[in-house]
């Protein structure tokens, strides 16, 4: 989530912008289109300091309902066991009546969606017939393959509801009268519907403040989050109601510098690893060349002779010592005998006259 930063809107400035927008919408309306003024949407346009890394959908509860009662809501439900499609519809209509839910105009079981709304024309007709879609959370993961891409391109995919909740009426009312902010990782701007033209200036202002605080608390980004906030309708210009301080620029510069240093270190490590790999390849190549020339490569370790146990060494030394002693004594004796014979035997030399 975002870091906890004290950010506050100027309520007087917001109310002035709302009154100016309402005056513009009244000036553009005519006598024939007075009935349609209540359905004109008033939205908040958030501009972030940086593009988020991951997409996120933020549910925003509003103190005042931003959808008129004339809007039609469709609910996708699961197929109840041992019941036909008609029986499933009756079962959930009775359940909603008992819980006090009056905003849902159509109930479509999952089996009916698969069979009757299989062609693309039927899916587009379904998309145009209703203003909002809800789905039982038990079949939410099965719907994308049967609804088609048009629901998601126009950001009209069904919102999850727990039909087994004890406070079903309150939960459905919060989902219908609340709003969603879809933050993507493809840009720094995102928009959420917060009011309609038939509401008073105070009600619109309270909804804007509630949406602002919820987004600041739930947005998953580090450091400064929101740069500028505008309020606008479908046909008007965007009026600014919040501008962040320029002190956030120093924080962003520090983050960018730290990221640059981190990238440089990673690049240096990568170069070192590549150099080590090249050295290994060169040593292997030189070793192969030496093997071809008949030389022993330097990288091959010379095997050391295995040490024999002490008992074997002692047994080997014992007979060798005896043999060496015998061989040493025998030549001495021979030399002595030979010396005695030489001394005893004397040749007589005749005297010469």
């Amino acid at each position: 989530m975002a870091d906890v930063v004290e950010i506050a809107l100027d309520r007087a400035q917001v109310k002035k912008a709302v009154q100016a927008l309402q005056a513009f919408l009244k000036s553009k309306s005519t006598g024939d289109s007075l009935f349609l003024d209540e359905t004109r949407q008033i939205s908040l346009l958030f501009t972030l300091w940086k593009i988020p890394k991951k997409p996120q959908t933020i549910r925003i509860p509003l103190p005042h309902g931003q959808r008129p009662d004339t809007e039609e809501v469709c609910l996708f439900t699961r197929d109840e066991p041992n019941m036909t499609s008609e029986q499933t519809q009756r079962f959930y209509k009775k359940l909603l009546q008992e819980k006090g839910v009056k905003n849902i105009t159509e109930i479509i079981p999952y089996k009916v969606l698969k069979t009757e709304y299989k062609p693309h024309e039927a899916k587009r007709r379904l998309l145009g017939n209703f203003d909002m879609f809800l789905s039982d959370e038990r079949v939410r993961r099965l719907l994308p393959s049967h609804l088609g891409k048009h629901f998601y391109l126009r950001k009209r995919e069904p919102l999850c509801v727990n039909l087994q909740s004890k406070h079903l009426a309150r939960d459905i009312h919060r989902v219908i009268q609340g709003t969603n902010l879809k933050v993507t990782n493809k840009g720094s701007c995102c928009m959420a519907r917060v009011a309609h033209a038939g509401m008073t200036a105070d009600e619109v202002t309270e909804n804007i403040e509630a949406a602002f605080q919820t987004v600041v608390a739930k947005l998953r980004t580090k450091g400064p989050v929101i740069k500028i906030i505008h309020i606008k309708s479908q046909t008007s210009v965007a009026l600014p109601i919040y501008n962040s301080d320029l002190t956030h620029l120093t924080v962003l510069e520090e983050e960018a510098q730290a990221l640059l240093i981190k990238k440089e270190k990673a690049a240096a490590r990568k170069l070192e690893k590549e150099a080590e790999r090249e050295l290994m390849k060169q040593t292997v190549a030189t070793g192969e060349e030496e093997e071809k020339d008949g030389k022993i490569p330097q990288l091959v370790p010379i095997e050391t002779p295995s040490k024999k146990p002490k008992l074997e060494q002692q047994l080997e030394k014992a007979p060798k010592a005896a043999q060496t002693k015998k061989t040493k004594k025998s030549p001495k004796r021979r030399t002595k005998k030979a010396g005695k014979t030489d001394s005893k035997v004397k040749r007589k030399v005749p005297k010469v006259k």
Side-chain angles (χ1 to χ4, degrees):
M1 290 189 179
D3 296 340
V4 179
V5 182
E6 292 184 359
I7 301 175
L9 289 175
D10 187 359
R11 186 180 177 87
Q13 182 68 25
V14 174
K15 192 171 182 179
K16 286 181 182 179
V18 171
Q19 290 173 350
L21 183 60
Q22 287 178 340
F24 171 79
L25 294 175
K26 287 180 181 179
S27 65
K28 291 295 181 180
S29 63
T30 60
D32 297 334
S33 61
L34 284 175
F35 180 73
L36 299 176
D37 285 344
E38 293 184 356
T39 61
R40 292 189 181 181
Q41 301 176 3
I42 296 176
S43 304
L44 280 181
L45 178 62
F46 294 90
T47 303
L48 308 179
W49 276 105
K50 53 187 177 181
I51 299 174
K53 295 182 180 179
K54 295 181 180 180
Q56 181 185 1
T57 300
I58 301 174
R59 283 195 176 186
I60 304 172
L62 298 175
H64 304 284
Q66 50 94 19
R67 294 179 184 273
D69 296 334
T70 57
E71 287 195 354
E72 296 186 353
V73 182
C74 178
L75 174 64
F76 298 110
T77 64
R78 76 163 190 169
D79 298 319
E80 290 295 325
N82 302 324
M83 287 188 186
T84 62
S85 299
E86 295 180 354
Q87 290 175 348
T88 302
Q89 288 179 347
R90 293 173 188 170
F91 172 77
Y92 281 106
K93 282 183 180 179
K94 186 178 179 181
L95 177 65
L96 295 176
Q97 288 178 358
E98 291 176 354
K99 297 292 183 178
V101 180
K102 300 178 181 180
N103 298 329
I104 295 174
T105 55
E106 185 68 24
I107 296 174
I108 300 177
Y110 177 67
K111 188 176 181 180
V112 175
L113 178 65
K114 287 195 300 182
T115 55
E116 296 184 7
Y117 295 94
K118 191 173 183 179
H120 293 285
E121 294 179 358
K123 293 177 182 177
R124 291 180 180 178
R125 198 181 308 115
L126 177 65
L127 181 61
N129 290 339
F130 298 96
D131 300 308
M132 187 177 183
F133 296 91
L134 303 177
S135 71
D136 187 355
E137 63 180 10
R138 294 170 290 183
V139 295
R140 176 67 181 84
R141 60 184 180 83
L142 304 174
L143 296 180
S145 59
H146 298 287
L147 290 177
K149 64 180 180 180
H150 300 288
F151 280 77
Y152 297 91
L153 289 175
R154 295 179 62 179
K155 298 180 180 180
R156 298 279 298 282
E157 63 269 19
L159 302 176
C160 292
V161 176
N162 183 13
L163 295 180
Q164 296 177 336
S165 175
K166 295 180 180 179
H167 306 284
L168 182 61
R170 183 192 65 186
D171 296 344
I172 291 178
H173 179 76
R174 285 182 178 179
V175 173
I176 293 175
Q177 297 301 336
T179 187
N180 293 326
L181 179 68
K182 294 183 180 180
V183 183
T184 64
N185 56 353
K186 298 179 181 179
S188 60
C189 295
C190 48
M191 190 163 59
R193 174 181 172 180
V194 294
H196 60 83
M199 299 172 65
T200 63
D202 292 332
E203 291 176 349
V204 177
T205 304
E206 290 177 2
N207 281 2
I208 290 171
E209 290 179 343
F212 175 77
Q213 296 298 332
T214 304
V215 171
V216 169
K218 293 185 177 181
L219 199 60
R220 297 173 186 169
T221 54
K222 294 181 180 179
V225 182
I226 298 173
K227 183 178 181 181
I228 305 172
I229 300 177
H230 294 86
I231 181 175
K232 68 183 296 294
S233 68
Q234 295 176 348
T235 57
S236 70
V237 296
L239 302 176
I241 59 174
Y242 172 79
N243 288 323
S244 62
D245 298 330
L246 295 178
T247 55
H248 294 313
L249 292 174
T250 57
V251 179
L252 292 173
E253 288 176 359
E254 291 175 358
E255 290 181 357
Q257 190 174 2
L259 184 62
L260 182 62
I261 293 170
K262 189 176 180 180
K263 288 182 179 179
E264 289 178 354
K265 289 182 179 179
R269 290 175 186 172
K270 189 176 181 180
L271 291 174
E272 289 179 359
K273 289 181 179 179
E274 289 179 356
E276 290 178 358
R277 288 174 185 173
E278 289 180 359
L279 287 173
M280 290 294 292
K281 288 180 181 178
Q282 290 177 2
T283 52
V284 171
T286 52
E288 290 177 355
E289 289 178 358
E290 289 178 356
E291 285 181 356
K292 289 179 182 179
D293 297 338
K295 297 179 181 179
I296 300 173
Q298 296 180 358
L299 294 177
V300 179
I302 300 172
E303 294 182 357
T304 56
S306 59
K307 294 182 179 181
K308 296 182 180 180
K310 293 182 179 180
L311 293 173
E312 292 181 0
Q313 289 179 0
Q314 290 176 0
L315 292 173
E316 289 179 357
K317 287 180 181 178
K320 287 182 181 178
Q323 289 178 3
T324 51
K325 287 179 182 179
K326 289 180 181 179
T327 52
K328 286 179 181 178
K329 288 180 180 179
S330 57
K332 286 181 180 179
R333 290 175 183 176
R334 287 178 185 175
T335 52
K336 286 181 181 179
K337 288 180 181 180
K340 287 180 182 180
T341 53
D342 293 338
S343 60
K344 289 180 180 178
V345 178
K346 292 181 180 180
R347 293 179 184 181
K348 293 181 181 182
V349 180
K351 293 180 180 180
V352 180
K353 292 181 179 179

